[in-house]
Amino acid sequence: MKAKQEFKVVPKFPERLLPLKRMAYNVIFSWDSEIRDIFQRVDPKLWSESNHNPVRLMNRVEQKRLDELANDTGFVSQLEEVTHHFDVYMNAPSGADPNVRVAYFSAEFGLTTCLPIYSGGLGILAGDHLKSASDLNIPLVAVGLLYQMGYFYQYLNNDGWQMEGYVNNDYDSMPLTQVLGEDGKQLKVHVRFKDRYCAIAVWRIQVGRIPLYVLDTDLDENPPDIRSTTASLYGGDKETRVRQEIVLGIGGVRALKAMGITPTTIHMNEGHSAFSALERVNLLRKDHNLSFDAAKEIVQASTIFTTHTPVPAGNDTFAPDLARSYFEDYAKELGISWPVLLGYGRVNPRDDGEPFGVTPLSLRLSAHANGVSRLHGLVSRNMWQNIWPKTPTEDTPIDYVTNGIHVSTWASREISRLYTRYLGQDWKEDPDPFHIWSHVNQIPLSELWRAHCHCRERLIAFARRAFMKQLKRQGAPADALQRAMEIFSPDTLTIGFARRFATYKRATLLFSDPDRLAKILNNPERPIQFIFAGKAHPADNEGKAFIKQIIHFSREERFQNRVLFLENYNIHLASLLSAGCDVWLNNPRRPLEACGTSGMKALANGVLNLSVLDGWWDEGYGPDYGWAIGNGEVDPNQQLQDVTESQALYNLLEHQVAPKFYGRTVDGIPLIWCEMMRNSIRDLMPQFSSHRMVKEYFDRFYSVSSERYHNLASHNFQAATEQAAWCDKLRTSWNDVAVVSLKGDAELEKTVGQSILITATVRLGQLKPEDVTVEVYYGTMDHQGEFADRETLSLRAVKEDEPGLFTFEGNIACHKTGRFGYTVRVMPSREKLGNPFVLGLVSWA
């Protein structure tokens, strides 16, 4: 029996306490400890039971308790002070360029435990991006999906096999609000799935100063199969995935338009939001009567795409027939044929057997593309080079911006207090991280060590309680529950391994030689204990088998007090582990770890990293900051590499890590260890903070793309029409472009400080010198006569020898000794195109 009418009863807030309700709907509480403290003080027990959710706390608190607090002068005084700081933060004027408006699209956002719309690193990175954009007051809005069940919660059966459970989210008890339309009702937009329409409701999550708009298909007006589109994160089959990505990309752009938001640039965080570029083309055509080519020029010039993984599972593809069923009619709206649209999503547009991929689509419709670490940028260029077959791999237009983490979120309370004391009150919002972190040297080693020991003690206390709950749920006997409350020691070297249990991350590498491992962990003078956590994808049975193996090892008598697996890894557990462990272990199979930000979260707390030279650690490693497993080798014999690197890991644990940790002064402080902690924070934290990352995106991409957007939109988009016509002229005329001759100085040996005059005769046909960039491509040579590295130098047109035939010149400066070579290429004008590679036009000498 269903009720005819629903209603709810909520506490009546005394006027003096109304700021609590306002702050409850802003997830700044996830990184502002003063706001968390005030909510905890309302009702400590209820705060814990509500999963640190201030909205649920506000809905469930007793009226009597609110009345008591309203008359508690101490509480009211604290609330007034916290509210003042909150209002100052929220109302601070932005110094950013008013002509920049960024829309950041992502399929998941990891903001706080009580908003379970994330699965792992991609979502946490997106959440940290928004938090830093808020702190830096960047003009940015974000778009994501609101999942009715979110990602699964994990529990283990008695045999250690991962099981998945799902809980429906109660939106009334979450820090989000409906976006209302002009009619006062919740704003809705629509997309089409084949011959049916899907209604999408729009919600808002306030992330400090940044609005995040999340889209929801769980509406009565949608048929059941369409209604379930946003039921769960990364759930369902390929058809569910393509529907989710239509909602995110196409629905997201329509939602922004319905709210009157016109971004000057869109940042697509992974290919899940690729269809946003198509919908921007669609809207520009409809609203401004532009051709597909003209609209595409604007979209391409003002789109940034970040690819996050080289693993195929992270780069969605759809069978041509499935894609056609959803996009054939949409292609007509765009003003192109279905085969043309299909070609945009293929590495080789002429390969009829190739599926439709969102990563090729994103790369082709973006002026700026990047990987998420220096090594990942290199891997991505190799992976996607065939999209630009005439371009050398090193020139493939995929750059890199190394990820970072939001330090205020991930630094523990104890460590944050040290930062405030020695770095200054404004360290959380300082836009110059390299300046602010230089003051870390002022932190006394003894204070840093004591703060860290508190974090370890809290972690061990939590681990005991969590492990006891696991055992109780599995029906363990009373003596086992008693032992659980005594497991591990807060004084023992504690190493953490917590991440997604994808097989390439090699979670079981530590157990390659169990006998040797047992001796190392149970050394009576230098014991070590390991805490594992992480989820395998529901369909990844190999990842689940890894978890089961670790569980079984942990039950062996020799490992019972040395190895522990904690189930249901989430933001709360991640924050405890990254603060309380002494060492963070990461041993992926190089080079498959695109970045791996969990080690950065540990770094924010002075935790030392022990990792393979992959992802961010390939940039960050130094002997003063932690340890490297191996030297960055990639062995085609993976089994042999696993053996080699496991032995290297054991040697580091036994001969370097443990001795440094237990090497104490008379005061009980490991001075060398603490020096490494302080060094790593001082030198690496500014490099791997999301403040640095977001500022880099803004300076290198957002501001440049926004400027190009405004230029192309000028004079009622006439500039875009002219740009499209110019690109068409290039395509039709390029067959006539050729380097006719190339010559340099006759003298083949130069001394440092001299230069070589390069003269190139280039046939341009119908084109003019201003249409092209002619550049000399030069650098050192390897033993095979290939470029070992390269630089480019634009040549200037000096004369027209005959109609369509021009001479270009320039000088190569000889700055260093070695064996060098050069050649010349002709490309579309760099000045006229944000990305000269997008047209795929190049002529080499």
Side-chain angles (χ1 to χ4, degrees), residues 642-830:
D642 288 351
V643 171
T644 301
E645 292 185 345
S646 65
Q647 292 302 315
L649 172 58
Y650 294 145
N651 288 335
L652 287 169
L653 291 173
E654 188 171 15
H655 302 301
Q656 294 194 40
V657 178
K660 280 188 172 67
F661 180 84
Y662 287 106
R664 307 296 173 89
T665 66
V666 292
D667 298 325
I669 298 174
L671 282 181
I672 296 176
W673 188 279
C674 291
E675 283 280 8
M676 292 176 70
M677 291 174 66
R678 191 166 63 180
N679 291 341
S680 63
I681 296 171
R682 181 195 63 223
D683 296 343
L684 300 185
M685 204 65 265
Q687 188 178 349
F688 299 106
S689 76
S690 54
H691 279 26
R692 186 276 311 156
M693 176 188 73
V694 171
K695 194 170 184 300
E696 187 174 345
Y697 275 117
F698 188 90
D699 293 341
R700 291 178 55 195
F701 300 149
Y702 296 166
S703 58
V704 174
S705 295
S706 295
E707 182 179 2
R708 290 193 61 79
Y709 172 86
H710 287 296
N711 289 341
L712 291 172
S714 62
H715 306 297
N716 196 26
F717 296 93
Q718 180 62 30
T721 300
E722 294 172 357
Q723 177 92 341
W726 175 75
C727 289
D728 188 57
K729 181 178 75 169
L730 287 178
R731 293 188 190 95
T732 57
S733 305
W734 201 260
N735 283 338
D736 296 329
V737 175
V739 180
V740 176
S741 67
L742 168 62
K743 60 182 179 180
D745 292 350
E747 188 179 348
L748 295 180
E749 186 172 287
K750 297 285 183 178
T751 58
V752 172
Q754 290 185 309
S755 63
I756 300 177
L757 175 65
I758 304 297
T759 303
T761 303
V762 180
R763 185 175 301 283
L764 295 180
Q766 301 298 311
L767 303 179
K768 300 296 181 184
E770 57 267 26
D771 294 324
V772 299
T773 294
V774 179
E775 54 190 13
V776 60
Y777 188 100
Y778 66 100
T780 56
M781 312 299 293
D782 64 19
H783 67 284
Q784 295 179 325
E786 299 286 341
F787 284 104
D789 57 53
R790 62 96 179 97
E791 296 182 58
T792 59
L793 173 72
S794 293
L795 304 181
R796 64 188 183 280
V798 293
K799 63 177 179 175
E800 185 174 9
D801 302 299
E802 59 182 70
L805 190 69
F806 297 85
T807 296
F808 290 79
E809 288 184 352
N811 287 282
I812 299 176
C814 300
H815 293 304
K816 58 184 179 180
T817 59
R819 180 187 174 208
F820 294 84
Y822 65 83
T823 186
V824 164
R825 68 181 175 190
V826 187
M827 302 178 67
S829 169
R830 287 183 181 272

Side-chain angles (χ1 to χ4, degrees), residues 499-510:
R499 53 190 36 87
R500 202 161 44 88
F501 262 64
T503 50
Y504 75 85
K505 294 178 184 284
R506 299 191 299 180
T508 57
L509 185 72
L510 179 69

Side-chain angles (χ1 to χ4, degrees), residues 212-228:
L212 164 60
Y213 299 104
V214 285
L215 310 175
D216 170 27
T217 63
D218 186 29
L219 306 174
D220 290 339
E221 61 206 84
N222 286 327
D225 63 318
I226 289 179
R227 181 172 180 168
S228 64

